[in-house]
């Protein structure tokens, strides 16, 4: 698993950090964001020159349930193993065309879900996610668009198995929010240590404090810090 975006799990949405895409897909001005970061922080300006253009995809989705279900399956697994299990879960519901619903999960037996490769904890997390989707606890995408980042984090972390980091990845790579700084993320902290020539990784509190100057484009700063960590790992 790449150091990029790794905390304790590998998520499909985090894989988007390495891919290039037209910047027109962003709900904010990439040029304005990069200009702000260069002006606000000389070290980031140097890192941006080293890394080059901002390349990140927004994997837009209209289905919050399915995005979070995929994230749950991928937790604490390497990408190939997680993808295999997720496909097996999708294959349980051929009539859904690979896009199963909360109702599908509620109607499926424990034996079939476990048989697809889900651990007990992941099965229970999926069931909780499905139940909260059906009772309205989980907001629809149209409702999420009206909520600020912290409100979304509060709502979604009420689901079993969904922590703050997972929601932060959703905010950045599914919703395209520009000002997310995942201070608990190993790759971001490692990249900061390397880019800023620190003897140790910053604590989450230290990173949050320092990163205030990057607002309102901390998502873009985070992507560049991930790249710093990846470059060090690859020896570039």
């Amino acid at each position: 698993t790449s150091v990029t975006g790794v905390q304790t799990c590998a998520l499909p949405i985090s894989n988007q950090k390495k891919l290039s895409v037209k910047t027109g897909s962003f709900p904010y001005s990439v040029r304005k964001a990069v200009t702000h970061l260069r002006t606000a922080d000389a070290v980031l300006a140097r890192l941006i020159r080293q890394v080059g253009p901002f390349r990140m995809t927004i994997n837009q989705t209209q289905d919050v349930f399915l995005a979070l279900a995929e994230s749950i399956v991928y937790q604490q697994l390497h990408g190939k193993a997680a993808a295999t299990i997720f496909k097996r879960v999708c294959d349980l519901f051929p009539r859904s065309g690979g896009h199963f619903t909360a109702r599908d999960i509620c109607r499926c037996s424990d034996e079939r879900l476990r048989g697809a490769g889900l651990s007990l904890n992941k099965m229970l997390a999926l069931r909780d996610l499905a139940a909260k989707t059906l009772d309205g606890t989980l907001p629809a995408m149209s409702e999420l668009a009206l909520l600020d980042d912290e409100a979304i984090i509060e709502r979604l972390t009420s689901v079993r198995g969904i922590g703050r980091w997972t929601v932060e990845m959703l905010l950045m790579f599914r919703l395209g929010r520009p000002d997310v700084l995942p201070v608990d993320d190993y790759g971001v902290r490692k990249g900061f240590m390397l880019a800023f020539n620190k003897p140790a990784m910053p604590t989450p509190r230290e990173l949050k404090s320092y990163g205030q100057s990057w607002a309102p484009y901390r998502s873009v700063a985070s992507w560049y810090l991930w790249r710093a960590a990846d470059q060090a790992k690859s020896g570039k």
Side-chain angles (χ1 to χ4, degrees), residues 95-107:
R95 294 183 180 179
S96 298
H99 296 85
F100 57 86
T101 66
R103 202 169 299 280
D104 287 331
I105 293 297
C106 287
R107 290 173 174 172

PDB file of all heavy atoms in Angstrom, residues 95-107:
ATOM      1  N   ARG A  95     -29.349  -8.359  -9.743  1.00  0.00           N
ATOM      2  CA  ARG A  95     -30.419  -7.499 -10.274  1.00  0.00           C
ATOM      3  C   ARG A  95     -30.133  -6.023 -10.053  1.00  0.00           C
ATOM      4  O   ARG A  95     -30.738  -5.166 -10.688  1.00  0.00           O
ATOM      5  CB  ARG A  95     -31.756  -7.862  -9.624  1.00  0.00           C
ATOM      6  CG  ARG A  95     -32.264  -9.258  -9.985  1.00  0.00           C
ATOM      7  CD  ARG A  95     -33.618  -9.522  -9.379  1.00  0.00           C
ATOM      8  NE  ARG A  95     -34.123 -10.856  -9.724  1.00  0.00           N
ATOM      9  CZ  ARG A  95     -35.282 -11.327  -9.306  1.00  0.00           C
ATOM     10  NH1 ARG A  95     -36.060 -10.581  -8.516  1.00  0.00           N
ATOM     11  NH2 ARG A  95     -35.675 -12.538  -9.666  1.00  0.00           N
ATOM     12  N   SER A  96     -29.210  -5.728  -9.145  1.00  0.00           N
ATOM     13  CA  SER A  96     -28.873  -4.334  -8.862  1.00  0.00           C
ATOM     14  C   SER A  96     -27.775  -3.806  -9.778  1.00  0.00           C
ATOM     15  O   SER A  96     -27.371  -2.644  -9.658  1.00  0.00           O
ATOM     16  CB  SER A  96     -28.427  -4.184  -7.403  1.00  0.00           C
ATOM     17  OG  SER A  96     -29.473  -4.534  -6.519  1.00  0.00           O
ATOM     18  N   GLY A  97     -27.272  -4.675 -10.659  1.00  0.00           N
ATOM     19  CA  GLY A  97     -26.245  -4.249 -11.595  1.00  0.00           C
ATOM     20  C   GLY A  97     -24.949  -3.832 -10.939  1.00  0.00           C
ATOM     21  O   GLY A  97     -24.236  -2.968 -11.449  1.00  0.00           O
ATOM     22  N   GLY A  98     -24.642  -4.435  -9.796  1.00  0.00           N
ATOM     23  CA  GLY A  98     -23.403  -4.102  -9.118  1.00  0.00           C
ATOM     24  C   GLY A  98     -23.492  -2.886  -8.223  1.00  0.00           C
ATOM     25  O   GLY A  98     -22.517  -2.493  -7.607  1.00  0.00           O
ATOM     26  N   HIS A  99     -24.660  -2.289  -8.159  1.00  0.00           N
ATOM     27  CA  HIS A  99     -24.852  -1.114  -7.304  1.00  0.00           C
ATOM     28  C   HIS A  99     -25.942  -1.429  -6.287  1.00  0.00           C
ATOM     29  O   HIS A  99     -27.082  -0.993  -6.430  1.00  0.00           O
ATOM     30  CB  HIS A  99     -25.225   0.116  -8.137  1.00  0.00           C
ATOM     31  CG  HIS A  99     -24.142   0.541  -9.072  1.00  0.00           C
ATOM     32  ND1 HIS A  99     -23.990  -0.010 -10.320  1.00  0.00           N
ATOM     33  CD2 HIS A  99     -23.142   1.439  -8.924  1.00  0.00           C
ATOM     34  CE1 HIS A  99     -22.951   0.555 -10.924  1.00  0.00           C
ATOM     35  NE2 HIS A  99     -22.415   1.420 -10.091  1.00  0.00           N
ATOM     36  N   PHE A 100     -25.558  -2.210  -5.299  1.00  0.00           N
ATOM     37  CA  PHE A 100     -26.549  -2.667  -4.334  1.00  0.00           C
ATOM     38  C   PHE A 100     -27.033  -1.518  -3.457  1.00  0.00           C
ATOM     39  O   PHE A 100     -26.377  -0.483  -3.332  1.00  0.00           O
ATOM     40  CB  PHE A 100     -25.986  -3.812  -3.482  1.00  0.00           C
ATOM     41  CG  PHE A 100     -24.720  -3.475  -2.740  1.00  0.00           C
ATOM     42  CD1 PHE A 100     -24.769  -2.872  -1.490  1.00  0.00           C
ATOM     43  CD2 PHE A 100     -23.481  -3.772  -3.286  1.00  0.00           C
ATOM     44  CE1 PHE A 100     -23.610  -2.572  -0.787  1.00  0.00           C
ATOM     45  CE2 PHE A 100     -22.307  -3.476  -2.602  1.00  0.00           C
ATOM     46  CZ  PHE A 100     -22.374  -2.870  -1.358  1.00  0.00           C
ATOM     47  N   THR A 101     -28.174  -1.717  -2.858  1.00  0.00           N
ATOM     48  CA  THR A 101     -28.823  -0.688  -2.059  1.00  0.00           C
ATOM     49  C   THR A 101     -28.831  -1.065  -0.583  1.00  0.00           C
ATOM     50  O   THR A 101     -28.504  -2.197  -0.207  1.00  0.00           O
ATOM     51  CB  THR A 101     -30.271  -0.482  -2.518  1.00  0.00           C
ATOM     52  OG1 THR A 101     -31.021  -1.695  -2.228  1.00  0.00           O
ATOM     53  CG2 THR A 101     -30.343  -0.196  -4.009  1.00  0.00           C
ATOM     54  N   ALA A 102     -29.232  -0.111   0.238  1.00  0.00           N
ATOM     55  CA  ALA A 102     -29.373  -0.374   1.669  1.00  0.00           C
ATOM     56  C   ALA A 102     -30.400  -1.475   1.917  1.00  0.00           C
ATOM     57  O   ALA A 102     -30.214  -2.339   2.781  1.00  0.00           O
ATOM     58  CB  ALA A 102     -29.789   0.908   2.386  1.00  0.00           C
ATOM     59  N   ARG A 103     -31.468  -1.462   1.139  1.00  0.00           N
ATOM     60  CA  ARG A 103     -32.491  -2.490   1.310  1.00  0.00           C
ATOM     61  C   ARG A 103     -31.957  -3.868   0.952  1.00  0.00           C
ATOM     62  O   ARG A 103     -32.314  -4.876   1.593  1.00  0.00           O
ATOM     63  CB  ARG A 103     -33.713  -2.146   0.454  1.00  0.00           C
ATOM     64  CG  ARG A 103     -35.003  -2.815   0.922  1.00  0.00           C
ATOM     65  CD  ARG A 103     -36.212  -2.229   0.214  1.00  0.00           C
ATOM     66  NE  ARG A 103     -36.361  -0.817   0.493  1.00  0.00           N
ATOM     67  CZ  ARG A 103     -36.903  -0.333   1.607  1.00  0.00           C
ATOM     68  NH1 ARG A 103     -37.341  -1.174   2.542  1.00  0.00           N
ATOM     69  NH2 ARG A 103     -37.027   0.960   1.783  1.00  0.00           N
ATOM     70  N   ASP A 104     -31.091  -3.921  -0.075  1.00  0.00           N
ATOM     71  CA  ASP A 104     -30.471  -5.204  -0.440  1.00  0.00           C
ATOM     72  C   ASP A 104     -29.686  -5.784   0.738  1.00  0.00           C
ATOM     73  O   ASP A 104     -29.777  -6.982   1.031  1.00  0.00           O
ATOM     74  CB  ASP A 104     -29.508  -5.012  -1.621  1.00  0.00           C
ATOM     75  CG  ASP A 104     -30.223  -4.773  -2.940  1.00  0.00           C
ATOM     76  OD1 ASP A 104     -31.346  -5.266  -3.104  1.00  0.00           O
ATOM     77  OD2 ASP A 104     -29.638  -4.084  -3.797  1.00  0.00           O
ATOM     78  N   ILE A 105     -28.910  -4.931   1.398  1.00  0.00           N
ATOM     79  CA  ILE A 105     -28.094  -5.396   2.528  1.00  0.00           C
ATOM     80  C   ILE A 105     -28.984  -5.863   3.669  1.00  0.00           C
ATOM     81  O   ILE A 105     -28.720  -6.897   4.313  1.00  0.00           O
ATOM     82  CB  ILE A 105     -27.141  -4.280   3.003  1.00  0.00           C
ATOM     83  CG1 ILE A 105     -26.095  -3.979   1.932  1.00  0.00           C
ATOM     84  CG2 ILE A 105     -26.454  -4.671   4.314  1.00  0.00           C
ATOM     85  CD1 ILE A 105     -25.172  -5.120   1.589  1.00  0.00           C
ATOM     86  N   CYS A 106     -30.048  -5.119   3.949  1.00  0.00           N
ATOM     87  CA  CYS A 106     -30.942  -5.501   5.048  1.00  0.00           C
ATOM     88  C   CYS A 106     -31.614  -6.846   4.790  1.00  0.00           C
ATOM     89  O   CYS A 106     -31.885  -7.609   5.728  1.00  0.00           O
ATOM     90  CB  CYS A 106     -32.001  -4.413   5.255  1.00  0.00           C
ATOM     91  SG  CYS A 106     -31.360  -2.918   6.032  1.00  0.00           S
ATOM     92  N   ARG A 107     -31.892  -7.132   3.542  1.00  0.00           N
ATOM     93  CA  ARG A 107     -32.601  -8.374   3.197  1.00  0.00           C
ATOM     94  C   ARG A 107     -31.670  -9.568   3.066  1.00  0.00           C
ATOM     95  O   ARG A 107     -32.123 -10.710   3.066  1.00  0.00           O
ATOM     96  CB  ARG A 107     -33.362  -8.177   1.881  1.00  0.00           C
ATOM     97  CG  ARG A 107     -34.554  -7.226   1.990  1.00  0.00           C
ATOM     98  CD  ARG A 107     -35.146  -6.959   0.618  1.00  0.00           C
ATOM     99  NE  ARG A 107     -36.371  -6.160   0.701  1.00  0.00           N
ATOM    100  CZ  ARG A 107     -37.014  -5.648  -0.350  1.00  0.00           C
ATOM    101  NH1 ARG A 107     -36.534  -5.875  -1.567  1.00  0.00           N
ATOM    102  NH2 ARG A 107     -38.111  -4.941  -0.187  1.00  0.00           N
TER     103      ARG A 107
END
